[in-house]
Amino acid sequence: MDKFADAFTDADAVFVLPIYAASEEPIPGVMAEALAAKIEGPLTHYVPDFASAVAAVVSAAGEGDLILTLGAGNVSQLGPQILAALDAA
């Protein structure tokens, strides 16, 4: 998990959602909270759900910022939710 955490050191902010096993058994110790704790450098927070992630991103975002959503499963639904919340703000 250390090498994966290093991938985010150039980000200004990172919001980590829960990690779910797909069709395999969960890997012991691989948890979102632990990953968030290992990321050094940027503002990093564990967020427990999409609603919390949207609120955190909207709060942190500024004019001209690039927001990336990375992950598997239904994370593709997060981008439109963030855009809608930014439009409403």
Side-chain angles (χ1 to χ4, degrees):
M1 213 168 34
D2 292 336
K3 288 183 181 179
F4 188 67
D6 289 344
F8 301 100
T9 56
D10 289 334
D12 292 327
V14 178
F15 302 97
V16 181
L17 285 154
I19 298 171
Y20 298 101
S23 59
E24 67 276 352
E25 290 294 316
I27 301 169
V30 176
M31 300 177 355
E33 297 93 331
L35 175 60
K38 287 186 176 287
I39 297 172
E40 294 181 14
L43 167 72
T44 304
H45 293 286
Y46 166 75
V47 289
D49 53 47
F50 275 18
S52 300
V54 170
V57 169
V58 169
S59 175
E63 183 72 29
D65 282 354
L66 172 67
I67 299 169
L68 300 175
T69 59
L70 306 169
N74 62 350
V75 76
S76 62
Q77 298 170 2
L78 191 55
Q81 292 178 29
I82 292 169
L83 288 174
L86 287 168
D87 284 343

